[in-house]
Amino acid sequence: KVEPPVKGLGRQGGLLKEIKKKIDEKQNRNEQGKEVSTLNGLEINKKSDVINQKEREKQEAEKELIWRKLVSEGAYQRLKESETGLHLKSPEELIDMAHKYYGETAIPKLVSDFGSLELSPVDGRTLTDFMHTRGLQMCSLGHVVELADKLPHVQSLCIHEMVVRAYKHILQTVIAAVGDFDSLAGAVAACLNVLLGTPSVDADAETQSLDSLKWNWVETFLLKRFGWKWSVESCQDLLKYAILRGLCHKVGLELVPRDYEMDTAAPFRKFDIVSMVPVYKHVACSSADGRTLLESSKTSLDKGKLEDAVNFGTKALSKLIAVCGPYHRMTAGAYSLLAVVLYHTGDFNQVTIYQQKALDINERELGLDHPDTMKSYGDLAVFYYRLQHTELALKYVNRALYLLHLTCGPSHPNTAATYINVAMMEEGLGNV
């Protein structure tokens, strides 16, 4: 580029030209240097990307090899096709994720559902079922107690279940140590007296020492097994009949049905122990099609489609009777659901027939004090009240109320709701 001559500056004009020329040359060199450094940087980034890609592929290959050793080919393919990326995690990473989810999400969600009454356990068995259904271990009961600080009925159930599980180990140890079968009943009665009896104020030093040793052992067991600090003062709030009931279920004891004086030092005698039955875990018979039809009936009922709900419920009942038999707890559940559906349609006579069948099955298969049986008593009472058979309804609702007092105490929400039904029926009889 030819620059116009600068006139009138003389020698200074020539110096300015030289300075400008040097500046332009310097800028050109800087730009060339930048281009070279940029190219070098791109090449380095490409090389690092290639290296990182190779490292990732190597790590993925190693993790794939680990998973193929741990699980079957089909299980690994399902995990890979789930598009969750879990097949790219190491077993240690998955374990950490599972622990984090268990403590920060699963248990708080359970407590939240207890608070909203979406789940309402009434005894140790229903509490265990709810936790096991969600994949939660019973050793987490201490954590549940800590999170349920605003739910005293849930805390009470958890504490009673922990105490029952502690007592179970003591009683099983005593039973295993008995050598003579003829002395088994006496040993069981003596152990129950220690566990559930109340020592008198003027008891001898040995009895008081034994009682103190028992509570110290319970405190240590609950701390190590459940991670919960037990205070001996809490023993004053324990429902001893609820503990006895849970203990009999877990150990398989059958006792004479009578009123035991738990405030005495020896409420149990040798002749109160009737028998022992084996306790075992088993997979209950079920029907996948029956469950699906029951869920469809519930969904239709929630949407107000009563005709569809009746059709699905009837099909579910037929399927369950064919697969599980006429005397099965799932069959009882189908009868009970169909009764609720028919109640909304206004067929009250058929409602009581189906609910009575559900109650008969639950009493026979599950027992007179099972939570499902309690619910059947309460539902049947409401249906009879709707048919104006108030005295009969009051009989069933009082039975449900008695069982709720026995299992979960007067402070449980289900007990409060049952009291409301009792008050409503008493008002119907004019007993205001």
Side-chain angles (χ1 to χ4, degrees):
K1 181 179 179 181
V2 178
E3 295 184 1
V6 181
K7 297 180 180 181
L9 292 178
R11 184 180 178 182
Q12 287 78 9
L15 293 174
L16 289 174
K17 287 182 181 180
E18 291 294 330
I19 294 172
K20 186 175 183 302
K21 185 178 180 181
K22 291 179 179 179
I23 292 173
D24 291 342
E25 291 176 354
K26 187 176 181 180
Q27 288 179 349
N28 290 334
R29 287 196 300 269
N30 290 338
E31 289 177 358
Q32 291 176 358
K34 287 181 180 179
E35 291 177 359
V36 172
S37 63
T38 302
L39 292 174
N40 292 334
L42 290 175
E43 291 178 359
I44 293 172
N45 290 335
K46 287 181 180 179
K47 290 180 180 179
S48 63
D49 290 341
V50 171
I51 294 173
N52 291 336
Q53 180 67 21
K54 291 182 179 179
E55 286 292 330
R56 282 196 298 268
E57 291 176 355
K58 182 180 179 181
Q59 292 176 0
E60 291 177 6
E62 291 176 354
K63 291 174 181 177
E64 180 178 352
L65 186 61
I66 292 174
W67 282 116
R68 289 183 184 277
K69 291 180 179 179
L70 294 176
V71 299
S72 64
E73 179 66 24
Y76 176 75
Q77 290 300 326
R78 287 194 297 271
L79 183 64
K80 189 175 182 179
E81 293 170 0
S82 65
E83 298 181 356
T84 58
L86 295 178
H87 66 289
L88 302 177
K89 303 287 186 181
S90 66
E92 292 76 13
E93 290 174 329
L94 286 183
I95 291 173
D96 292 338
M97 292 170 61
H99 278 295
K100 185 176 180 181
Y101 175 83
Y102 187 94
E104 298 180 4
T105 303
I107 295 182
K109 180 64 169 61
L110 177 75
V111 176
S112 175
D113 290 342
F114 285 158
S116 64
L117 296 183
E118 181 178 342
L119 300 176
S120 184
V122 296
D123 65 350
R125 282 189 291 181
T126 50
L127 179 64
T128 303
D129 290 341
F130 287 146
M131 293 187 67
H132 284 175
T133 301
R134 298 191 174 207
L136 302 178
Q137 297 177 325
M138 297 308 291
C139 61
S140 304
L141 282 174
H143 193 186
V144 175
V145 172
E146 294 173 355
L147 294 179
D149 54 340
K150 296 182 180 179
L151 303 172
H153 68 284
V154 175
Q155 286 187 324
S156 177
L157 282 176
C158 292
I159 292 172
H160 279 79
E161 181 64 14
M162 288 189 288
V163 172
V164 167
R165 288 171 179 265
Y167 281 1
K168 176 189 72 173
H169 289 279
I170 298 177
L171 186 56
Q172 287 178 336
T173 303
V174 170
I175 293 173
V178 175
D180 184 10
F181 185 78
D182 293 335
S183 59
L184 180 60
V188 171
C191 182
L192 290 177
N193 288 332
V194 173
L195 297 178
L196 299 173
T198 305
S200 59
V201 180
D202 54 349
D204 55 14
E206 183 179 356
T207 303
Q208 293 180 354
S209 175
L210 188 61
D211 187 67
S212 177
L213 178 63
K214 174 190 70 175
W215 290 120
N216 289 336
W217 187 89
V218 170
E219 179 180 354
T220 304
F221 181 86
L222 297 190
L223 184 61
K224 290 186 176 182
R225 183 73 176 85
F226 301 101
W228 185 69
K229 179 66 175 176
W230 160 271
S231 59
V232 180
E233 292 76 13
S234 302
C235 66
Q236 304 296 329
D237 301 326
L238 293 178
L239 301 174
K240 292 188 177 181
Y241 273 109
I243 295 176
L244 176 62
R245 176 175 174 270
L247 201 56
C248 289
H249 282 306
K250 293 191 184 307
V251 181
L253 284 180
E254 185 179 357
L255 304 182
V256 173
R258 69 178 181 87
D259 290 332
Y260 293 97
E261 299 178 359
M262 296 296 188
D263 294 333
T264 62
F268 301 95
R269 301 168 301 181
K270 174 182 178 180
F271 304 103
D272 292 327
I273 313 302
V274 177
S275 66
M276 290 188 66
V277 295
V279 179
Y280 58 93
K281 296 181 180 179
H282 65 287
V283 179
C285 174
S286 181
S287 169
D289 294 337
R291 287 199 306 269
T292 302
L293 290 169
L294 285 177
E295 291 299 326
S296 300
S297 180
K298 292 178 183 178
T299 304
S300 300
L301 179 61
D302 293 338
K303 293 180 179 179
K305 300 178 181 179
L306 298 181
E307 186 176 352
D308 292 342
V310 172
N311 291 334
F312 285 127
T314 305
K315 292 178 181 178
L317 180 60
S318 301
K319 179 69 71 174
L320 290 170
I321 290 176
V323 176
C324 302
Y327 288 95
H328 191 272
R329 63 182 302 176
M330 286 196 69
T331 306
Y335 274 123
S336 184
L337 176 61
L338 200 52
V340 173
V341 173
L342 293 175
Y343 178 81
H344 285 83
T345 63
D347 190 357
F348 300 114
N349 291 320
Q350 193 65 30
V351 163
T352 55
I353 294 174
Y354 280 145
Q355 188 59 41
Q356 186 66 56
K357 288 183 178 180
L359 176 60
D360 293 341
I361 296 172
N362 286 331
E363 285 182 338
R364 170 177 166 171
E365 299 299 317
L366 304 178
L368 299 177
D369 61 341
H370 193 275
D372 290 353
T373 309
M374 298 181 210
K375 185 177 182 301
S376 296
Y377 282 130
D379 292 344
L380 189 58
V382 173
F383 297 152
Y384 273 128
Y385 177 74
R386 185 65 179 81
L387 285 173
Q388 303 299 320
H389 300 316
T390 309
E391 293 183 356
L392 189 58
L394 199 58
K395 172 185 174 183
Y396 282 111
V397 77
N398 281 328
R399 174 67 178 171
L401 185 62
Y402 168 76
L403 292 174
L404 286 170
H405 272 280
L406 181 66
T407 56
C408 54
S411 61
H412 196 276
N414 289 18
T415 310
T418 307
Y419 269 120
I420 295 174
N421 290 338
V422 172
M424 178 179 63
M425 295 172 188
E426 290 286 1
E427 182 184 12
L429 292 175
N431 301 327
V432 181

